[in-house]
Amino acid sequence: MSGKRTEVAVIPGDGIGPEVMESALGVLEAVGADVEQVPFEVGFGRWKRTGEALSAEDLESIKQCDCVLFGAITTPPDPKYRSVLLRLRKELDLFANIRPFSSSRLDLIVVRENTEGLYSGIEVLGEEECRTVRVITRRGSRRIAERACLLASRRRRLTIVHKSNVLKSDILFLKTCREVAESLSVPHDDLLVDAAAYHLVMRPERFDVIVTTNLFGDILSDLCAGLVGSLGLCASANLGESRALFEPIHGSAPDIAGQGIANPVGAVRSAAMMLDWLGQAEKARAIEAAVGRALEGGVKTPDLGGSSSTRQVTEEIVRQIDSARKI
Ligand code: IPM
Ligand code: MG
């Protein structure tokens, strides 16, 4: 070991991003996380000011860091604007988006392929007709299936979610995922995405680890967020071979930005997932436990039907961390 401290590229972003990032950083400090912050001002706000959301130099500096902690960045439906988050996923080759969800009724993980599918970026935009190419490769399917199987092998089973009856590209995805699951002796089944959406609502306890393509994973993970009570509660890890970016799965929520009422839990949990990935698992668990106790105690932001502010929720999580330490 070189003795160099772990460097985290911190990207607060737009909208509620900076508010929830402040909470996540406060909680990291409270738990004594061994990380050095390297702040980056990138996103839609910067694009409006300078015409550039993320420069090549930013990207190089971000790559020098050990991982990225990300708040939220606005992605307007403007053909000239390239989503910063999608760029980072692609440039850092963060092919596996791991999204855990748990509540009294369900405990599952959505493993979303993060670099291809309908997010290929290969698009032809015309006045009368537009096309988006859906890319499915054996390599891409194989590596996401391997990640999902690794998780499933420590849990119960894998469900492969696809639409291979209509989208013939999904025949390759399904076949490859099955081959990987069989070769690793992971119990598995599969569902068409529409049926998966139905069963997630009706019988969420049937699911354990779901592996799916990019857009289906995007949609199903918001559905799961609804099942656990709020998008604001949910965290994610975007993982590559050796790189990683951690982010709450909610967006920049411009409608409530600046009001101090954003739910910080998704961002705080993302910071916990980061610590776990960095090998600081005990601190990650301390954060998770503190979040659980804070929510049980009834400190909740308006998205959960409460009236606490972002700051009050954060303070309660920090208080829970401090009091657990005293025991
Ligand atoms: C997500 C988001 C992103 C996506 C947007 C912001 C580009 O919805 O992380 O789920 O579609 O992947
Ligand atoms: Mg989404």
Side-chain angles (χ1 to χ4, degrees):
M1 289 289 285
S2 63
K4 177 179 161 289
R5 284 193 76 192
T6 301
E7 283 183 348
V8 174
V10 174
I11 302 181
D14 308 302
I16 60 169
E19 297 166 53
V20 297
M21 180 61 82
E22 195 185 321
S23 299
L25 296 178
V27 171
L28 283 174
E29 194 189 323
V31 84
D34 184 16
V35 293
E36 185 101 37
Q37 295 167 28
V38 185
F40 287 89
E41 197 233 332
V42 299
F44 184 51
R46 162 138 163 226
W47 184 76
K48 282 194 287 194
R49 265 201 350 269
T50 68
E52 193 172 43
L54 169 74
S55 68
E57 298 84 71
D58 292 330
L59 200 55
E60 271 323 296
S61 312
I62 289 169
K63 283 184 180 169
Q64 299 304 315
C65 293
D66 293 277
C67 65
V68 183
L69 188 61
F70 185 96
I73 287 186
T74 305
T75 305
D78 178 333
K80 293 191 292 300
Y81 184 88
R82 247 180 102 198
S83 160
V84 171
L85 183 55
L86 298 189
R87 249 182 97 191
L88 287 171
R89 288 176 183 163
K90 204 133 197 168
E91 296 275 358
L92 305 180
D93 199 22
L94 305 171
F95 62 86
N97 196 328
I98 315 288
R99 298 183 157 186
F101 300 93
S102 70
S103 73
S104 54
R105 250 197 101 190
L106 63 103
D107 176 17
L108 63 89
I109 304 176
V110 175
V111 179
R112 163 185 176 188
E113 201 294 320
N114 221 16
T115 51
E116 47 186 42
L118 271 168
Y119 282 59
S120 64
I122 305 170
E123 302 196 292
V124 184
L125 304 180
E127 282 299 317
E128 302 300 327
E129 188 178 309
C130 297
R131 293 176 186 213
T132 298
V133 176
R134 185 175 196 266
V135 176
I136 302 290
T137 66
R138 187 184 298 280
R139 173 176 174 266
S141 305
R142 172 166 285 280
R143 63 183 186 170
I144 195 66
E146 284 169 353
R147 279 297 163 100
C149 283
L150 190 68
L151 287 170
S153 64
R154 299 190 207 118
R155 294 171 54 107
R156 287 186 287 123
R157 67 169 172 158
L158 180 72
T159 300
I160 306 158
V161 172
H162 59 94
K163 189 74 186 183
S164 65
N165 55 345
V166 176
L167 304 173
K168 305 303 182 196
S169 51
D170 258 359
I171 296 174
L172 177 61
F173 181 75
L174 175 60
K175 182 171 168 282
T176 310
C177 289
R178 276 188 181 144
E179 280 167 10
V180 171
E182 269 149 39
S183 71
L184 298 172
S185 306
V186 169
H188 61 94
D189 62 0
D190 71 275
L191 278 175
L192 293 170
V193 65
D194 46 350
Y198 177 75
H199 288 302
L200 273 166
V201 172
M202 301 302 282
R203 293 195 300 137
E205 64 285 351
R206 121 182 240 301
F207 293 91
D208 183 27
V209 177
I210 292 172
V211 66
T212 192
T213 52
N214 210 337
L215 183 65
F216 295 164
D218 180 41
I219 297 167
L220 292 183
S221 56
D222 272 28
L223 188 154
C224 293
L227 293 177
V228 302
S230 171
L231 255 179
L233 292 172
C234 306
S236 70
N238 295 256
L239 306 179
E241 292 301 346
S242 61
R243 298 185 197 280
L245 177 151
F246 301 86
E247 45 142 357
I249 78 170
H250 62 69
S252 63
D255 52 327
I256 59 159
Q259 296 179 33
I261 56 164
N263 191 338
V265 169
V268 169
R269 284 187 164 148
S270 301
M273 289 182 89
M274 178 185 84
L275 288 185
D276 193 48
W277 184 82
L278 287 170
Q280 302 179 37
E282 213 165 295
K283 289 171 182 167
R285 278 197 295 273
I287 295 177
E288 268 301 332
V291 167
R293 286 194 302 273
L295 291 174
E296 273 162 33
V299 183
K300 290 175 182 159
T301 40
D303 55 306
L304 293 169
S307 58
S308 304
S309 65
T310 309
R311 178 157 299 164
Q312 283 167 328
V313 174
T314 311
E315 282 169 1
E316 180 56 18
I317 296 169
V318 168
R319 204 182 65 76
Q320 291 290 348
I321 289 171
D322 291 344
S323 61
R325 202 180 274 136
K326 286 190 197 109
I327 294 168

